[in-house]
């Protein structure tokens, strides 16, 4: 009887050893300021501006038993993701999310250029340059990103997220001079990045899931409801300037997070 009990205990111990890892889930967040949480104004890591209000951390809160790695960093480009952030990926990673590409295309400097009066800047020239990069160079850079993720975490499901349209056709912020036509072109640039990222995710294979955040942000752009209103999910010109034109806490909670959570559960 004693030997039988020992045998049962051995079997149970073996189940714990060999079954438990199958239940473990690891989630790694990669990307730039839109994934780190720039714009939420509260950071636990000031260097990369990582925030507990960013959409990856909200997913972590929803699944506290998961292993969570926040590797996204403000200012990151595709090269930073590949060389600095990708080492966080391991063969047992189950979920990955990222936003990337906006900094490669120089979108921050484009916004800065277009914020000046037309007589003091060449907004259309800056947009043309960014759009040319998005069309001609960004697809290859995204393929490198996706191939790096696949090589390190071949079984992971990867959620590729884009960027919202920032503008609604009006400029209510003192200190900026965006014209309606410039806002339209800047929104079209976000649409171009969406198309390129969606195509790259399709090329990467079935484990790569592109999800579009543009629809939930419609009606919640800069100046929707007036500057600083609860309707506005994206910061306009801010102090400090680095917070400008990034999602607020509400943008992460109501824009990005529901899109992510709909996939991961």
């Amino acid at each position: 009887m004693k030997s039988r009990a020992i045998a049962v205990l051995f079997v149970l111990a073996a189940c714990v050893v060999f079954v438990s890892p199958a239940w473990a889930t690891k989630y790694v967040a990669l990307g730039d300021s839109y994934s780190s949480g720039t714009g939420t104004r509260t950071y636990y890591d000031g260097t990369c501006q990582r925030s507990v209000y960013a959409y990856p951390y909200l997913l972590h809160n929803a699944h506290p038993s998961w292993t969570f790695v926040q590797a996204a960093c403000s200012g990151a480009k595709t090269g930073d993701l590949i060389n600095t952030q990708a080492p966080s990926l391991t063969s047992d990673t189950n979920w990955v999310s990222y936003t990337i590409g906006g900094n490669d295309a120089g979108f921050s400097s484009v916004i800065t250029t277009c914020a000046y009066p037309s007589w003091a800047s060449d907004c259309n020239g800056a947009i043309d340059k960014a759009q040319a990069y998005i069309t001609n160079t960004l697809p290859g850079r995204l393929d490198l990103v996706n191939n790096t993720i696949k090589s390190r975490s071949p079984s992971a499901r990867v959620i590729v997220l884009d960027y919202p349209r920032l503008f609604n056709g009006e400029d209510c912020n003192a200190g900026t001079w965006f014209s309606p036509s410039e806002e339209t072109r800047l929104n079209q640039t976000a649409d171009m990045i969406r198309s390129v990222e969606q195509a790259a995710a399709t090329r990467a294979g079935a484990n790569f899931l592109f999800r579009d955040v543009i629809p939930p942000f419609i009606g919640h752009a800069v100046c929707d409801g007036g500057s600083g209103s609860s309707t506005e999910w994206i910061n306009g010109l801010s102090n400090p300037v680095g917070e400008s034109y990034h999602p607020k806490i509400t943008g992460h909670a109501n824009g990005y997070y529901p899109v992510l959570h709909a996939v991961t559960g």
Side-chain angles (χ1 to χ4, degrees), residues 128-207:
D128 289 342
K129 183 178 179 180
Q131 291 185 348
Y133 183 93
I134 292 165
T135 300
N136 300 320
T137 306
L138 188 57
R141 298 300 302 171
L142 293 175
D143 287 342
L144 289 174
V145 165
N146 294 337
N147 288 337
T148 298
I149 295 172
K150 283 195 290 186
S151 68
R152 290 182 171 272
S153 302
S155 299
R157 301 189 75 190
V158 183
I159 305 171
V160 181
L161 298 163
D162 56 352
Y163 304 95
R165 296 171 184 159
L166 299 178
F167 302 104
N168 69 351
E170 63 176 293
D171 185 358
C172 63
N173 294 152
T176 59
W177 289 267
F178 295 101
S179 70
S181 62
E182 289 170 346
E183 291 195 355
T184 296
R185 291 203 69 199
L186 289 166
N187 285 344
Q188 289 171 346
T189 304
D191 292 349
M192 290 178 66
I193 293 179
R194 170 177 59 183
S195 297
V196 167
E197 290 184 337
Q198 184 173 21
T202 299
R203 290 193 299 273
N207 278 358

Side-chain angles (χ1 to χ4, degrees), residues 70-153:
Q70 170 59 298
C73 191
S74 180
K77 297 181 179 181
T78 53
D80 299 306
L81 190 157
I82 292 167
N83 298 316
T84 304
Q85 299 179 18
S88 297
L89 300 168
T90 52
S91 60
D92 62 342
T93 300
N94 305 94
W95 292 101
V96 178
S97 68
Y98 73 76
T99 56
I100 204 71
N103 291 321
D104 292 71
F107 201 67
S108 178
S109 62
V110 173
I111 292 289
T112 300
T113 297
C114 292
Y116 286 105
S118 58
W119 54 265
S121 66
D122 182 12
C123 177
N124 283 314
I127 293 174
D128 289 342
K129 183 178 179 180
Q131 291 185 348
Y133 183 93
I134 292 165
T135 300
N136 300 320
T137 306
L138 188 57
R141 298 300 302 171
L142 293 175
D143 287 342
L144 289 174
V145 165
N146 294 337
N147 288 337
T148 298
I149 295 172
K150 283 195 290 186
S151 68
R152 290 182 171 272
S153 302

Side-chain angles (χ1 to χ4, degrees), residues 48 60 92 109 138 175 202 224 239 241 245 254 259:
C48 283
H60 164 60
D92 62 342
S109 62
L138 188 57
T202 299
D224 272 319
N239 182 20
V241 175
Y245 306 105
N254 302 320
V259 172

